[in-house]
Amino acid sequence: MKDRDDTTGSEPQQAGRSRADSGRKNPYAAFEQHLALPGPAPSPTPPMTFPVQEDARVAEGVEPRTPPLPRTRPGPGKEPPAKWPETTEESVAPAPPADGTDTVASTITLWGGMGSGKSTLLAALTRALMDPEYGSWNVFPEDHASKQYLSDLAHTFYRERVFPSATQDEQLPVRLTLVGDVGGTPYSSRSAGRRRWRRGGQPASDVLEFRVSLRDMPGEAFDLRSEMGALMGPRLVTDLADSRAMVYVLDAAREWRVNGENGPVDEDERQSADFFTEVLDGVATEIAIRGHRDGHRLPHSIAVCLAKFDDDDVFRFACEHGNVRLNPRTGQPEAVDAKRLFDDLCDRFPHGSLGEIRNQIGRYFVPERVGYFVCSAVGFWVDPDRGFDFDNPSLVNAVDDKVRFVAPPRPVNVMEPFLFLRGLSRQR
């Protein structure tokens, strides 16, 4: 079988089971390709901000110190990443801003269990913001190590067209500044009814700038009962407590692997809550010790990303529940209601742990600071001539035991969680 990379007139070879061969009823038969799927329009999310609370150590004038950490380079396939030259966190730390801006409030911490797709999400982020739907954005890494790390991720994902290898070691923070002009877009901070325009009919600029620090950690570290979790757990909990925003990457496909009809399909039988519950309890304890509670809840905002929307089980399940439509601009599928899909998954696996995660989110977070998003870093196959085919949706092509993409990835809903955490919601 030959690997087919051309983007015109080619279709991905479908790996795994075939719906036609399985005898299972096709859940997509009722849908027309050229029409958006039925479903309620998503309700607008009001713009929100999260409170800025100063770390007690900063208030006392004590500069937190951290030991030197290794940085790793993502490698192809499942090979362990190669070590970079030794770099200390102090050597790459940016100088504090002259205007006294509280950078703690700008910190977004990436969180998720083993194989959830955190590295892949990072790789997709730097390209997803190039979509003109979000306006005009630029990414400015704040140190050379961050620049190289993001470049290597993007090269693996977009040039080699393979998934980045799983993170093996604790990473130095990837520090970057996002600067964007969202004037004239649905994400403008100005209300649609009062949008301003320049002379000549051009929308007025609406420039936004914020700093982001992401620490990509191995998924194993989020299981505090594992050997790696016991070693890295204290730093992980501290990072989450220091930040004021979290991107929690939930591997929706794990539920079928662990709790599906065929039982666990691999040796790892851990469920999603094994990487979530004790970590969040630790963050709550740390926040309480610091005296930073917001009443009976945490002061954080959280974006819950249901990742791997392009996975066959996840995508088929969403279609069966009438929770998919075609985006008329991109031609790709998207979820109609992310929170409803999350609730449906909780109900689909009553003996799983998603219900435990849902209850804990409700207990610890202010509802207005919680956002749900259905994301795919890879995206779907859209034929240039015939459009999207529900019977042949995958962009992933398995050839000779190697997984590649038949075309460059087209991220779905990857930028939205980060915009939400900075108070930008789509104005409809």
Side-chain angles (χ1 to χ4, degrees), residues 70-74 82-87 144-150 152:
R71 179 178 293 282
T72 58
R73 179 194 302 265
K83 292 287 185 180
W84 284 28
E86 183 175 357
T87 308
H144 292 289
S146 294
K147 180 266 178 189
Q148 191 63 50
Y149 182 71
L150 292 172
D152 289 339

Side-chain angles (χ1 to χ4, degrees), residues 18 42 155 158 162 169 242 244 262 319 342:
S18 167
H155 180 83
Y158 286 94
V162 296
D169 298 294
D242 286 343
R244 287 298 177 263
N262 299 325
C319 286
F342 179 58

Side-chain angles (χ1 to χ4, degrees), residues 346-368:
C346 293
D347 297 337
R348 170 64 177 80
F349 300 100
H351 303 295
S353 64
L354 290 182
E356 181 181 340
I357 293 176
R358 177 172 59 182
N359 292 337
Q360 200 173 26
I361 290 174
R363 285 171 44 223
Y364 277 122
F365 295 94
V366 176
E368 290 76 18

Side-chain angles (χ1 to χ4, degrees), residues 65-378:
R65 302 283 292 181
T66 56
L69 298 173
R71 179 178 293 282
T72 58
R73 179 194 302 265
K78 296 183 179 180
E79 299 177 3
K83 292 287 185 180
W84 284 28
E86 183 175 357
T87 308
T88 63
E89 187 163 355
E90 290 86 347
S91 67
V92 298
D99 59 0
T101 303
D102 188 351
T103 59
V104 173
S106 297
T107 303
I108 297 176
T109 302
L110 199 62
W111 183 11
M114 287 186 63
S116 59
K118 300 183 300 299
S119 298
T120 308
L121 188 72
L122 271 179
L125 174 64
T126 55
R127 296 299 179 92
L129 55 78
M130 295 182 182
D131 190 331
E133 172 77 359
Y134 308 115
S136 176
W137 288 82
N138 277 320
V139 180
F140 295 95
E142 296 189 0
D143 55 73
H144 292 289
S146 294
K147 180 266 178 189
Q148 191 63 50
Y149 182 71
L150 292 172
S151 295
D152 289 339
L153 275 178
H155 180 83
T156 300
F157 196 52
Y158 286 94
R159 297 299 185 191
E160 298 179 5
R161 297 187 188 176
V162 296
F163 289 104
S165 60
T167 303
Q168 301 292 332
D169 298 294
E170 186 176 5
Q171 304 292 301
L172 284 168
V174 179
R175 295 187 174 96
L176 57 138
T177 298
L178 297 179
V179 183
D181 183 354
V182 297
T185 75
Y187 298 90
S188 175
S189 58
R190 313 183 201 280
S191 63
R194 299 181 59 187
R195 187 171 297 166
R196 296 189 298 181
W197 299 82
R198 299 192 190 102
R199 292 181 180 179
Q202 296 295 323
S205 62
D206 191 357
V207 177
L208 302 166
E209 178 176 342
F210 55 91
R211 303 175 67 191
V212 178
S213 177
L214 299 168
R215 189 189 296 274
D216 187 19
M217 302 187 75
E220 184 79 19
F222 295 85
D223 178 6
L224 300 188
R225 295 185 179 273
S226 68
E227 182 178 350
M228 184 177 292
L231 178 65
M232 298 184 179
R235 176 177 294 278
L236 169 64
V237 169
T238 299
D239 277 353
L240 289 169
D242 286 343
S243 67
R244 287 298 177 263
M246 310 171 181
V247 174
Y248 175 59
V249 184
L250 175 62
D251 183 2
R254 174 176 284 271
E255 298 308 309
W256 275 272
R257 297 198 305 271
V258 177
N259 298 313
E261 289 79 0
N262 299 325
V265 298
D266 51 36
E267 296 181 357
D268 186 1
E269 300 182 10
R270 285 175 292 186
Q271 301 194 55
S272 297
D274 292 325
F275 304 99
F276 185 85
T277 304
E278 292 193 25
V279 172
L280 193 57
D281 285 340
V283 174
T285 301
E286 181 69 18
I287 289 297
I289 293 173
R290 298 180 184 185
H292 290 171
R293 288 183 293 106
D294 185 1
H296 66 293
R297 289 191 169 104
L298 295 174
H300 297 70
S301 298
I302 184 171
V304 181
C305 295
L306 277 67
K308 304 182 181 179
F309 183 45
D310 58 290
D311 178 84
D312 182 71
D313 286 316
V314 179
F315 180 62
R316 175 168 45 82
F317 179 80
C319 286
E320 290 172 346
H321 285 72
N323 203 352
V324 177
R325 65 183 176 193
L326 291 182
N327 185 310
R329 186 178 64 88
T330 66
Q332 295 200 92
E334 62 183 11
V336 176
D337 189 326
K339 179 59 165 63
R340 179 159 64 90
L341 180 57
F342 179 58
D343 289 336
D344 288 342
L345 286 170
C346 293
D347 297 337
R348 170 64 177 80
F349 300 100
H351 303 295
S353 64
L354 290 182
E356 181 181 340
I357 293 176
R358 177 172 59 182
N359 292 337
Q360 200 173 26
I361 290 174
R363 285 171 44 223
Y364 277 122
F365 295 94
V366 176
E368 290 76 18
R369 299 187 193 134
V370 181
Y372 291 87
F373 304 88
V374 179
C375 308
S376 172
V378 177

